[in-house]
Amino acid sequence: MSTVCIDTHDLEGDARDWAVSKIQYTNPVQIGGSTVMVYKGVPFDYHPSTDWAQGGQIIEREKIEVFIRDGGWFAYSSLSKPEDFHGETPLIAAMRCFVALSLGHEVDVPEELIK
């Protein structure tokens, strides 16, 4: 599997969810371009940047703050200050923040996830 180095601020779609899954589960699987996790032998879709049941837990646990500024969504953590992470939605901003806090400002993601 070839990878591409992406700035955390630029993570999009499945690449963003894949990066979050690397932190949460360490062994994400790609099936048909979608991030799928296997837990106790059972596969399930993993989309924390669009599913509040998945991403909301991370925001709460990691104490990531999400706010609106200049009409856009931003997220930060006490560990990321003074840097904010922008996103089209609160979950997108928060997941970019989470990835940067855990993996740094650049992350290698599978090339097939880059659109």
Side-chain angles (χ1 to χ4, degrees):
M1 167 176 66
S2 62
T3 61
V4 176
C5 185
I6 300 290
D7 185 298
T8 306
H9 291 277
D10 299 327
L11 282 172
E12 296 287 338
D14 286 328
R16 184 179 47 243
D17 289 339
W18 185 90
V20 173
S21 71
K22 285 291 287 183
I23 302 161
Q24 296 286 92
Y25 298 98
T26 68
N27 194 21
V29 177
Q30 290 306 120
I31 298 177
S34 184
T35 301
V36 176
M37 301 309 305
V38 178
Y39 181 72
K40 295 185 178 180
V42 179
F44 66 95
D45 285 337
Y46 190 66
H47 301 287
S49 59
T50 57
D51 184 339
W52 275 99
Q54 296 170 350
Q57 294 176 17
I58 295 169
I59 292 170
E60 185 175 342
R61 183 188 69 232
E62 301 297 323
K63 297 175 179 53
I64 296 172
E65 296 189 41
V66 180
F67 59 95
I68 294 177
R69 182 177 65 217
D70 300 326
W73 288 100
F74 291 84
Y76 76 93
S77 161
S78 61
L79 299 175
S80 71
K81 284 183 179 177
E83 186 173 15
D84 298 334
F85 294 83
H86 178 263
E88 297 79 26
T89 69
L91 282 174
I92 290 171
M95 293 307 103
R96 286 178 176 155
C97 179
F98 178 61
V99 170
L101 291 172
S102 302
L103 300 178
H105 287 284
E106 292 184 338
V107 62
D108 289 326
V109 298
E111 187 174 29
E112 62 266 20
L113 296 179
I114 306 303
K115 296 178 180 168

